[in-house]
Amino acid sequence: MYVTVTSRPDLCMAVNYFSGFQSCATDEHYSHLKRVLRYIQGTLDLKLIYRRCSNAELLEGFADADWAGDVVDRKSLSGYVFKLNAATVSWSTRKQVSVALSSAEAEYASLTMAVTEAIWLRVLLRDLGQHVEDPTVIHEDNQACIHVAESDKPTRRMKHVDVRFHFVKNEIDAGTIRLLYIPSEDQIADVPTNNFN
């Protein structure tokens, strides 16, 4: 857990998964855990690199979800990655609290989590004397999710979505964030939501 939180966002999904079995682990879980440990052994040279970068976006985020990724309860994983001057500074993986009925809904819930982190990072930067004037760009690979977030008209297919997720629209309207489409193969936030399969 310590390594995941401090320097290895690529381990987020595995730590999230195994945390759910701390009190009821089986031999099968132990077998899968050994696979993760072999992965760590083979990637000890991976590290986060921080260097000065003058032409990068000050703060940018990436949000992603794996729709119905848990085969037991069919809940999705949300994940985000934030970069500050092109250096990765914040990441997270969490299981969503409810079952998403579509990939757009799963991505929208993940986007909500990323927007709350973006707001917190903007406040932190302001407290450190670095004012962020421009909207924080969040990259999303689901065009239906972007359409729902940016649309003023409610859609029939998303009317069941929890109201708390719709605060994303308010932040777009306020100019706090801006959504940009990114192809799935370039989505950095896919790392903390990806299985080791």
Side-chain angles (χ1 to χ4, degrees):
M1 178 75 92
Y2 173 78
V3 173
T4 300
V5 170
T6 59
S7 63
R8 293 291 299 264
D10 57 325
L11 299 176
C12 280
M13 189 275 160
V15 169
N16 181 283
Y17 175 78
F18 286 114
S19 295
F21 299 100
Q22 288 184 34
S23 64
C24 58
T26 65
D27 288 340
E28 184 179 354
H29 294 113
Y30 183 68
S31 173
H32 291 298
L33 180 59
K34 287 194 302 188
R35 184 175 176 202
V36 173
L37 293 173
R38 283 192 297 273
Y39 168 77
I40 294 170
Q41 178 66 34
T43 58
L44 287 175
D45 58 335
L46 289 182
K47 57 188 166 241
L48 296 175
I49 298 173
Y50 297 99
R51 59 175 73 108
R52 183 172 289 246
C53 187
S54 60
N55 62 350
E57 286 273 334
L58 177 64
L59 179 64
E60 66 177 335
F62 300 82
D64 198 22
D66 76 331
W67 179 41
D70 190 317
V71 295
V72 176
D73 62 11
R74 303 315 280 173
K75 291 183 180 175
S76 305
L77 276 182
S78 291
Y80 64 75
V81 174
F82 278 89
K83 292 178 168 262
L84 180 62
N85 290 330
T88 303
V89 294
S90 179
W91 56 87
S92 180
T93 299
R94 278 192 215 125
K95 187 185 270 193
Q96 294 179 5
V97 295
S98 61
V99 176
L101 300 179
S102 67
S103 61
E105 183 181 343
E107 294 281 351
Y108 199 43
S110 180
L111 181 61
T112 301
M113 189 173 88
V115 169
T116 59
E117 182 72 2
I119 293 169
W120 182 82
L121 287 169
R122 289 171 65 93
V123 170
L124 177 64
L125 287 169
R126 186 189 66 217
D127 290 348
L128 295 173
Q130 181 71 44
H131 293 280
V132 182
E133 304 296 331
D134 296 330
T136 299
V137 172
I138 298 181
H139 301 278
E140 173 59 56
D141 64 356
N142 187 294
Q143 292 188 24
C145 172
I146 293 171
H147 175 73
V148 168
E150 292 179 339
S151 176
D152 291 332
K153 297 183 341 185
T155 61
R156 281 190 3 246
R157 291 183 177 169
M158 297 293 279
K159 65 182 178 182
H160 65 282
V161 173
D162 196 332
V163 173
R164 69 190 172 101
F165 296 137
H166 291 302
F167 99 99
V168 172
K169 292 177 191 276
N170 296 338
E171 297 304 320
I172 292 171
D173 292 342
T176 307
I177 65 161
R178 183 167 55 102
L179 298 179
L180 282 182
Y181 173 75
I182 188 171
S184 294
E185 57 270 9
D186 298 331
Q187 177 60 279
I188 294 173
D190 189 43
V191 172
T193 60
N194 220 351
N195 290 318
F196 278 89
N197 296 335

